[in-house]
DNA sequence: AAGACAATACCAACCAGTCGGTATGTCAAT
DNA sequence: ATTGACATACCGACTGGTTGGTATTGTCTT
């Protein structure tokens, strides 16, 4: 009788408020940026009240840090689990990684924007905590390809090129591509950035 | 007697309010982002009242559009006037352009961030007018190198590579480098992004 | 019973934008 | 060379609504 069902659809199950807030933040921050997203908006989107918000996060900035940390884990798990890691040749794994990033670009624009890259642009000078979380996130993202790059460079050294720096260039191509895609309102420039990255790699490794 | 001097230092000369507001916006928006910069803050920084603000701009968004358009003109004039255009060989001009961008990176971080690239990240989905201004700004920036690229490609064609797309990759390297620099709070990753771009160019053109 | 979790009401500060008014400059007719 | 009509540039108090954050109370789970 107690209309438990409508209650359940209307209100999220207890204990999920934190996760729901982070999910809502991921959506809204990608579309509108961090500063332009208000706490009230976040609560409404998550189906949660303000009391719940400030129970789980000390401040809006706290939510921002948690959002980026969650992003680091989520994307990290996704890349780690992906079959692109299976290829025997490290160079093939790099090409497969780029191909994987290409397929991600077929999603709608707000859904392939990088949470860390977007927010750090806004807050790098106003929130040290969020900047540090973003730095860690981008470094972690570069870490996924660095291992493959080290193996590839061991088999085919390139003078003046380190795995560390080349891994960062992957991030540069991805982040820069996203900016151009946003400006053009079209994923194509981001896809072309990956094409150039792949061509660069092939030239470096003589493939 | 009439303390005309203190009057002059206390208040900007008539007619300069618009330019002062744009200059203040360039500073503040680079450091804090567009959404986090309030109109009051802008007015205070420009030494101007709110009445003056809304006399010159219909809205905060209007100031945003004017800011990006001004940025397009300013940077365009700067690159056009620079001696890097002097080299006879188009390839040398491209290398000189990259070198010019490298020297820009010796400034403090907020001063080498691209106004168009930063703001479009925030407002690409919430302000069509600003996104369009940013698109135009980035396209204009790519246009500066496209001419040199066309000449270089005419002398040394590279299959599958157009001047248009390669010019955009210059923007990708610059914008992506800025994001990493912000995250690391250090210009070095941006400089390395230019190094990789230069190496890519040399490989493409066999230099 | 006790603590974790969440709902509601509330607050001072701040937000973008408005509006009636004034200062300054322009130009044509006197 | 004055005058006066008009436009531009600017001023700053004000408004309705929103902001991030708090205080208090209630309700689940163990």
């Amino acid at each position: 009788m107690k209309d438990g069902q409508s209650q359940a659809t209307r209100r999220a199950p207890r204990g999920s408020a934190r996760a729901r807030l982070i999910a809502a933040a991921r959506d809204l921050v990608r579309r509108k940026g961090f500063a332009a997203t208000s706490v009230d908006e976040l609560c409404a989107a998550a189906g949660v009240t303000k009391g719940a918000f400030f129970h789980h996060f000390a401040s809006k900035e706290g939510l921002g840090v948690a959002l980026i940390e969650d992003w680091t884990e989520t994307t990290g798990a996704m890349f780690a689990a992906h079959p692109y890691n299976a290829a025997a040749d490290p160079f093939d794994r790099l090409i497969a990684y780029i191909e994987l990033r290409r397929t991600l670009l077929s999603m709608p624009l707000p859904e392939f924007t990088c949470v860390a890259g977007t927010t750090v642009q806004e807050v790098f000078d106003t929130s040290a905590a969020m900047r540090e979380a973003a730095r860690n996130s981008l470094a972690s993202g570069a870490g996924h390809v660095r291992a493959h790059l080290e193996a590839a460079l061991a088999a085919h050294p390139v003078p003046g090129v380190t795995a560390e720096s080349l891994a960062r260039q992957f991030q540069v191509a991805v982040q820069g591509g996203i900016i151009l895609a946003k400006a053009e309102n079209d994923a194509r420039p981001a896809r072309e950035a990956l094409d150039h990255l792949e061509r660069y790699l092939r030239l470096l490794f003589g493939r």
Side-chain angles (χ1 to χ4, degrees), chain A residues 40-119:
Chain A
D40 283 329
E41 219 171 346
L42 245 16
C43 293
V48 148
T49 60
K50 239 175 171 178
F53 184 101
F54 285 100
H55 171 73
H56 288 287
F57 307 105
S59 63
K60 190 190 175 188
E61 185 188 22
L63 176 270
V65 171
L67 165 65
I68 300 174
E69 286 173 348
D70 176 84
W71 175 253
T72 310
E73 289 167 29
T74 304
T75 55
M78 174 208 156
F79 282 118
H82 202 271
Y84 93 88
N85 289 289
D89 183 12
F91 183 84
D92 290 341
R93 294 202 290 275
L94 292 169
I95 300 298
Y97 175 88
I98 293 176
E99 183 55 31
L100 165 56
R101 297 229 66 132
R102 252 190 286 258
T103 67
L104 293 179
L105 293 178
S106 57
M107 301 171 124
L109 220 160
E111 285 174 47
F112 67 72
T113 73
C114 171
V115 170
T118 303
T119 54

